[in-house]
Amino acid sequence: MALAACAPRAGTAAPAAPHRTPAPVSTAGRASAAPTAASRTDGTGTTRANSPGAAPDVLDSAAAAALRAADDAGRDATALDQDLSQSTPSSEGTNP
Amino acid sequence: MTRTATRRLKPAVATTLAAGAILGSVATPALAATGTGTADQAAKQAACLAVVQQHAKDLIAARQRSLDALTTEVDGAAHLTTTDRAAISTVISSTRSGLTSLAATLAAATTCQQAHAADARIFTDLRVYVIVEPQAHLLLAVDHGLDGLTHLQTAADTIATAITAANTDGKDTVPAQAALKDLQARIADAAGQLATAHTEAAALTPSAFNADHDVTAPARLAARTGRQDILAAVADVRAAVADLKK
């Protein structure tokens, strides 16, 4: 029986799966978690102006999110490989 | 669900030899020429029938167990699309029905030849191990790949936003842009490969295998290529992030 009704998926709607739910990102212990505005406080308590347009926290956050997504994609690739290894036809044996 | 061909083949070969030896004896003209020979022939027919029926019964039971395991695997595959889940379930269900029907046909057989004919249909009509299981695993693989693409697209969007922000800051983002460009190309290629793999997998049938024993190869090749694209795209994400964090 062919699976004629089985159209390729668009690839955007991912059903919920435990391993695909990104873990909440903890900011605990991150010294630069709060000051994303025009100034920041250094380790001596001195308030300094940010470098022009710099938004390291934004970049850090984006980088972390991108890496998490890449990790998830890597896990999917591993799972794909495992499924693929089971897709090789095995012997049916011989019939009498 | 690892199986070995040897494990499956040995009993089948043994039974083939046993049944074949019995059938050979049945067909011996010298025996058929006497009354004793006729009685012997009937006894050997009965013995042959019993051997083939038992062999077929074992084959059917093994396939039913494999389908049980496959059903459990599919039920637990949260990433599977609704469409693919339904399609696989339909194939499993119809294959089970076919096995049940053949079991009834075999039980009703009155000659060794009838049993042989029904036994052969376990292979030619149903192809549990060379079509049903591979087809399900190919669809499972494709859907894992599509999930991977969803994650990669998220990464690409995030990196694009980060590049825009970094450009505003006057940062050199040329390497990150190159990585993003390759990332987007890999995503597009992987999507095409996975679509091909899906189409090929969905079209698999026992009759297609009977005509071409390598019928699953195109789907596996496309899925494997799609996976390579995904791995390359993951590397692109890491490269872009590393550049942006410099």
Side-chain angles (χ1 to χ4, degrees), chain A residues 1-3 6 9 11 20 53 62 66 69 71-72 76-77 79-81 83 86-87 89-96, chain B residues 3 8 12 55 63 81 84 91 116 119-120 123 127-128 130 134 144 146-148 150-151 158 169 198 202 220 227 238:
Chain A
M1 173 181 303
L3 301 182
C6 201
R9 189 173 64 165
R20 273 188 271 104
D71 287 344
D72 286 340
D76 284 323
L80 186 162
D81 194 41
D83 285 328
Q86 292 186 286
S87 72
S90 54
S91 172
E92 289 269 19
T94 56
N95 54 312
Chain B
R3 299 172 307 273
R8 221 180 265 147
H55 176 247
R63 283 156 178 74
T81 64
D84 286 348
V91 170
H116 257 296
D119 183 276
F123 301 86
R127 297 292 185 196
V128 172
V130 296
H144 269 305
L146 292 176
D147 269 4
T150 302
H151 293 306
T158 304
D169 290 349
H198 191 282
R220 280 185 285 121
R227 176 181 175 272
R238 300 194 193 290

Side-chain angles (χ1 to χ4, degrees), chain A residues 40-93:
Chain A
R40 60 183 57 227
T41 303
D42 66 17
T44 65
T46 303
T47 300
R48 299 180 184 278
N50 283 335
S51 57
D57 292 336
V58 173
L59 284 179
D60 282 351
S61 175
L67 290 177
R68 276 199 305 275
D71 287 344
D72 286 340
R75 279 190 284 274
D76 284 323
T78 299
L80 186 162
D81 194 41
Q82 289 169 348
D83 285 328
L84 211 50
S85 70
Q86 292 186 286
S87 72
T88 304
S90 54
S91 172
E92 289 269 19

Side-chain angles (χ1 to χ4, degrees), chain B:
Chain B
M1 205 176 359
T2 302
R3 299 172 307 273
T4 63
T6 308
R7 202 170 62 204
R8 221 180 265 147
L9 198 58
K10 281 181 178 172
V13 170
T15 311
T16 300
L17 293 174
I22 294 168
L23 276 176
S25 300
V26 168
T28 303
L31 289 177
T34 66
T36 302
T38 301
D40 285 350
Q41 187 175 16
K44 286 172 180 173
Q45 270 284 1
C48 176
L49 178 59
V51 167
V52 176
Q53 283 177 321
Q54 183 58 51
H55 176 247
K57 189 176 177 182
D58 292 344
L59 291 179
I60 289 171
R63 283 156 178 74
Q64 293 283 19
R65 286 194 298 273
S66 294
L67 292 175
D68 287 345
L70 185 60
T71 299
T72 300
E73 186 176 353
V74 169
D75 286 349
H79 73 287
L80 204 54
T81 64
T82 303
T83 304
D84 286 348
R85 186 183 305 283
I88 294 171
S89 296
T90 298
V91 170
I92 290 175
S93 177
S94 66
T95 304
R96 282 190 195 283
S97 297
L99 289 170
T100 301
S101 175
L102 281 177
T105 301
L106 280 153
T110 55
T111 69
C112 195
Q113 287 77 6
Q114 287 175 354
H116 257 296
D119 183 276
R121 290 178 56 201
I122 296 171
F123 301 86
T124 58
D125 291 9
L126 302 174
R127 297 292 185 196
V128 172
Y129 297 131
V130 296
I131 288 296
V132 177
E133 286 188 342
Q135 180 180 49
H137 286 116
L138 280 166
L139 293 175
L140 286 162
V142 167
D143 285 351
H144 269 305
L146 292 176
D147 269 4
L149 291 189
T150 302
H151 293 306
L152 287 170
Q153 190 56 56
T154 298
D157 294 344
T158 304
I159 289 169
T161 302
I163 286 175
T164 300
N167 282 338
T168 303
D169 290 349
K171 182 173 178 155
D172 174 18
T173 60
V174 171
Q177 288 182 54
L180 177 61
K181 186 178 178 184
D182 191 69
L183 167 60
Q184 289 165 333
R186 296 289 188 174
I187 290 173
D189 190 67
Q193 296 290 346
L194 293 174
T196 298
H198 191 282
T199 300
E200 293 283 346
L204 293 173
T205 60
S207 59
F209 179 87
N210 293 339
D212 175 10
H213 284 198
D214 213 19
V215 72
T216 61
R220 280 185 285 121
L221 176 61
R224 192 173 296 118
T225 305
R227 176 181 175 272
Q228 289 165 349
D229 281 328
I230 290 171
L231 293 177
V234 168
D236 285 333
V237 172
R238 300 194 193 290
V241 168
D243 183 65
L244 288 170
K245 291 181 77 173
K246 277 182 183 172

